[in-house]
Amino acid sequence: MFSTACLYREFLRAISILLVACLFLIVAACGDREPIVEDKPVPVLDEGPSVSPVRAGSSGFRGGDGRLGAYAGTGVPGDTSWTTAFGAPVAESPVVFHDGLYVVTIDGVARKLSLVQDRIEWTREFGDSSFVAPTVLGDTVYVVAHDGNITALHDRDGSLRWNARIEGRVTASPAVTDGVILFGARSGVLTGFDPNTGDVLWERTLSGALTGIATIDDLLVVATESGRVYAIVAANGSPVWEHDLERAIKAAVTAHHGTVFVVTMAGSLHALDVSSGIENWRHETIGPIYGGAAVGDGIVIVATLAGVAHAIAVETGAELWRMVGRGEYVAGPVIIGTTVLFTSTDGTIVVHQLADGARARRVEHAGAITNDVVSDSSRVFVVLSGGEMVAYTLQDEPQVGVAVELDDHDRIRVDGPPRRGRLSTDPVRLLLVADRSGPYLITNDNHDEAPTVVTVEDQSGAVIARNFLRFDYLDSFSVELVAGETVLIVVQPMNNDVLGSEFALEVSYVGDR
């Protein structure tokens, strides 16, 4: 028999073995498990700055950077690719960048549309507010409300990157340059932010509400409503020069190849040297200018609230051609390749050849157009006042001019009586034979305000000159001809509203007799 002491020792031994076994099992189990940490959910809408941008470049209002209002591509608006309705008017203008189309509506909704799949990729709601045009830099989209709220979104899904705020009402679409994104307020305060973090880098107070900011090289060019134009170093806000036009400015400023173009509500276009601010030239326009200028192929185009478009030589300021439209031009003209598009408050898009103003296409809509047209080089995107967007496919440009044979009955005499007729859908063609070399003045002398398109063509149909005559704006233009040269003068209405109106065309020699 076991003694009581033996039984007690055996019991303790069994307990010890059991404890060791339990400890072994616990250690083994813990060795296969990750350390327990506090489970903190990651905010979906606050992911912080990305390590590096996935896309190079930027885009914004009127193409961003210099606000050139110019896009790559060829052709004129043709067939409708698609239409969509946003349910609310678009704030300022949409922006195209790489394969995305960015739109902010006045009900506070930002959208990215995929131009590859033609669908809405994401939306983000901000609540009722008014906005300037969005800006895209690399993989970040900046949405700016007039009340000063700035929101940086990830391009891939619209999630929040950072928020910031500036004091005062924002009156100019932001501009971007290396390492800085710029915002301007009605108070005259210009603020440079770090585009990755939203930290303020510098501030500068200018005179008057800021209406336009453009970038060129390492400079910012800023215009104020009071008529002052400033050049500022983008990196630190240091001033370079200041120029006072003493004329109110409402439109975006444009900067291109060493020249700053500024348009005014007094009806003028100014070309300033970007390094000094000295005025190279100015051109007086027919009517105030509310939309920005467009620059391409050595030509700067402006369109006025009076419905007149001017094409000006960049180097000299000389007028190359002008066009009288219908309705007000609130939005700025847009250059696409070798054509320029004008959109008016009556819903009309008129496309003209950039070089000579020859009309290539006309498209009419039911709603007014007050936002800038944008393009992705294969399509044109048009926003109507009610919030509808129409995408047109760019198609080959039609041939301008048609070879025509006329007899002496259709001849218009130099220094002879006016040739009278009525504007119709069929162009009136008149034969003109130059009896000497030099300039000839072509005049519509019927004192009718009906806009009339008058084109001078050679007999192969090539355009020599074209202008848009209207008694209260411009009733004549000149053309250089060689003695014995035979040309066609083509007379047609600018639009269907003036069909049946009378014209009285006469040609006079104005050279040395």
Side-chain angles (χ1 to χ4, degrees):
M1 293 184 64
F2 293 107
S3 66
T4 302
C6 288
L7 289 173
Y8 181 71
R9 285 196 298 270
E10 290 298 324
F11 173 76
L12 291 177
R13 183 171 176 271
I15 292 297
S16 299
I17 294 172
L18 181 61
L19 289 173
V20 171
C22 289
L23 182 61
F24 177 83
L25 291 173
I26 291 172
V27 172
C30 291
D32 293 333
R33 182 177 299 173
E34 292 290 331
I36 297 175
V37 295
E38 185 180 359
D39 187 13
K40 294 181 179 180
V42 178
V44 175
L45 299 181
D46 190 5
E47 299 177 309
S50 60
V51 175
S52 61
V54 296
R55 302 179 303 175
S58 64
S59 184
F61 182 60
R62 295 192 63 75
D65 296 336
R67 314 293 192 201
L68 300 182
Y71 298 87
T74 57
V76 298
D79 295 334
T80 300
S81 176
W82 50 259
T83 62
T84 188
F86 299 120
V90 173
E92 283 203 349
S93 295
V95 168
V96 171
F97 185 56
H98 286 256
D99 59 353
L101 177 65
Y102 303 83
V103 180
V104 182
T105 49
I106 64 171
D107 59 352
V109 180
R111 300 171 176 86
K112 178 187 177 181
L113 284 70
S114 169
L115 297 180
V116 176
Q117 300 174 333
D118 287 340
R119 65 177 181 83
I120 295 178
E121 220 169 276
W122 52 257
T123 63
R124 183 178 175 88
E125 297 184 5
F126 292 90
D128 291 340
S129 186
S130 56
F131 294 83
V132 298
T135 296
V136 189
L137 172 62
D139 63 350
T140 305
V141 183
Y142 301 91
V143 180
V144 185
H146 282 298
D147 64 9
N149 281 318
I150 304 168
T151 306
L153 305 175
H154 285 281
D155 175 74
R156 65 176 180 269
D157 57 10
S159 60
L160 182 67
R161 188 166 182 176
W162 52 259
N163 275 328
R165 182 175 178 81
I166 60 175
E167 293 301 321
R169 180 176 175 82
V170 175
T171 51
S173 293
V176 295
T177 187
D178 291 342
V180 187
I181 182 165
L182 294 310
F183 302 90
R186 189 168 190 81
S187 61
V189 176
L190 179 66
T191 308
F193 285 81
D194 185 311
N196 292 314
T197 64
D199 295 335
V200 174
L201 300 178
W202 56 261
E203 286 186 351
R204 175 163 291 277
T205 301
L206 307 177
S207 175
L210 305 188
T211 59
I213 310 171
T215 61
I216 180 169
D217 299 326
D218 59 349
L219 294 180
L220 305 174
V221 182
V222 185
T224 69
E225 195 172 84
S226 62
R228 293 181 182 272
V229 184
Y230 299 85
I232 296 171
V233 177
N236 55 28
S238 300
V240 178
W241 53 258
E242 175 184 343
H243 186 102
D244 189 0
L245 297 179
E246 299 181 346
R247 298 182 174 197
I249 301 171
K250 293 287 188 180
V253 63
T254 303
H256 180 60
H257 286 181
T259 304
V260 178
F261 299 99
V262 187
V263 296
T264 74
M265 292 298 286
S268 57
L269 168 65
H270 304 254
L272 309 180
D273 181 82
V274 73
S275 60
S276 65
I278 295 173
E279 185 173 271
N280 295 330
W281 53 258
R282 75 168 58 184
H283 187 90
E284 302 296 329
T285 61
I286 299 173
I289 305 173
Y290 192 80
V295 182
D297 289 342
I299 301 175
V300 54
I301 306 287
V302 293
T304 75
L305 292 178
V308 181
H310 299 260
I312 313 298
V314 166
E315 292 296 327
T316 64
E319 182 164 293
L320 303 176
W321 54 266
R322 77 172 61 171
M323 180 270 292
V324 179
R326 67 185 200 191
E328 296 179 333
Y329 291 130
V330 175
V334 170
I335 294 172
I336 301 178
T338 59
T339 62
V340 55
L341 281 67
F342 302 96
T343 55
S344 68
T345 53
D346 70 348
T348 302
I349 303 174
V350 183
V351 185
H352 290 261
Q353 302 290 337
L354 178 60
D356 60 12
R359 192 169 77 181
R361 179 92 162 97
R362 183 186 186 89
V363 182
E364 296 188 2
H365 303 87
I369 304 174
T370 57
N371 302 84
D372 286 0
V373 169
V374 296
S375 174
D376 68 348
S377 78
S378 64
R379 287 177 294 188
V380 174
F381 305 97
V382 181
V383 175
L384 304 181
S385 58
E388 181 183 12
M389 176 178 282
V390 184
Y392 291 100
T393 302
L394 286 175
Q395 297 179 347
D396 291 339
E397 300 172 19
Q399 294 295 317
V400 178
V402 179
V404 175
E405 292 185 6
L406 300 178
D407 56 30
D408 198 59
H409 173 75
D410 298 300
R411 183 169 175 174
I412 183 171
R413 307 290 176 177
V414 178
D415 297 323
R419 284 295 300 267
R420 299 185 180 275
R422 294 197 176 274
L423 299 172
S424 69
T425 54
D426 295 324
V428 177
R429 290 181 170 86
L430 303 173
L431 188 69
L432 172 64
V433 179
D435 56 2
R436 69 204 92 171
S437 297
Y440 290 77
L441 190 69
I442 300 174
T443 305
N444 185 12
D445 195 30
N446 69 333
H447 291 202
D448 191 341
E449 294 185 4
T452 303
V453 184
V454 180
T455 307
V456 181
E457 303 175 355
D458 66 21
Q459 289 190 288
S460 70
V463 175
I464 299 173
R466 174 178 274 109
N467 227 309
F468 306 86
L469 303 185
R470 181 170 170 174
F471 177 70
D472 58 341
Y473 290 134
L474 178 74
D475 62 1
S476 63
F477 68 99
S478 63
V479 59
E480 287 280 344
L481 299 176
V482 178
E485 184 177 6
T486 299
V487 296
L488 302 175
I489 299 179
V490 184
V491 185
Q492 58 193 121
M494 185 63 192
N495 53 64
N496 291 336
D497 293 344
V498 295
L499 292 177
S501 297
E502 185 184 43
F503 68 86
L505 212 68
E506 58 184 4
V507 178
S508 56
Y509 180 74
V510 292
D512 295 331
R513 295 180 181 271

